[in-house]
Amino acid sequence: MAEIWKGAPVADALTEELKERAGKLKVAGIVPCLAVLRLGDDPSAISYERGILKRCEKVGIEVRHYLLSELCEDEELFATLCEINEDEKIHGCIFFRPLKDKAQERMLCELLKPAKDVDCATSGSLAAVFSGEGEGYAPCTAEAVVQMLKFYGEELRGKNIAVIGRSLVIGRPVSMLLQRENATVTMCHSKTRNTEEICAASDIIVAAAGRAGLVGEGYASANSVIIDVGINVDEQGRLCGDADFDALEPLCRAITPVPGGVGAVTTAILAKHVIEAAEKHLK
Ligand code: NAD
């Protein structure tokens, strides 16, 4: 039977560390602060926002809400973003993507100050993830994958890792972060012909395709570690990942559940980025 690697212990440990760091910031007169910018009432954005609020409250991060209509004018959005950029008391900003209006999404991604870009929306942050230098932060979910592997003591150096998915939000950045840890990464995507074979020959599989049940028995061996990033709804309407958990759990070495796995760590990483951004203001 596989070890079940849950996200809560990882998030809790990080939260405890961040609480202390937030305390030190407050002693120095800095209240760590995150701006949450939401356009419209998308239920998944609202649910993620709820998780962010809970985490920030636990850590001691102030949250400022900026709620606009998804039909708002460019001018209003631009003015809101300028306010966030210019307010020195705000250390980080997250907005929920995708936006309905792609031009507005591009505007936000281009204009947010990289120093406040705590979830890798800007191309400057992406460049930093790829080069390992510069301002900005990795996408929270991508970093949560690495945090999880480290927390459970998985040595990454020299490991063969298959990443399924090549999006700019998860697949590509997580591949870069894992290479930085000296792993050998193979990125698979929808046009890869032998994903199953590549996964079966890897030590670790990071599944981020958004396809329920994609990773089945043939993808894993007794030594496989499976980090399931996917969030899907199965035929019975239940939340599930990309891995066929019931089939894989008896045969692999470790697996993360969905829900309760990587997703639980994402908001803790967001809080970590806000604390790091605030710490840059310490004299
Ligand atoms: P996306 O749709 O942008 O990208 C999916 C990627 O998977 C693409 O690169 C595609 O080529 C690849 N892919 C699709 N089908 C495939 C197949 N059969 N074989 C191999 N590769 C295949 O999605 P995304 O934004 O990267 O998100 C991926 C998943 O992660 C989704 O289920 C999403 O809901 C979930 N997610 C989880 C969190 C979290 O906190 N746990 C955060 C964001 C997204």
Side-chain angles (χ1 to χ4, degrees), residues 92-112:
C93 170
I94 185 164
F95 52 88
F96 302 103
R97 290 176 281 168
L99 260 63
K100 204 165 197 166
D101 183 327
K102 290 294 147 208
Q104 289 191 338
E105 183 169 328
R106 272 196 302 280
M107 177 170 90
L108 290 182
C109 291
E110 276 164 26
L111 296 182
L112 177 64

Side-chain angles (χ1 to χ4, degrees), residues 141 164-167 170 189-190 208-211 214 229-232 263 266:
T141 305
I164 311 178
R166 59 173 165 182
S167 76
I170 304 169
H189 49 79
S190 52
R211 299 280 180 277
L214 172 70
V229 184
I231 301 177
N232 314 293
T266 302

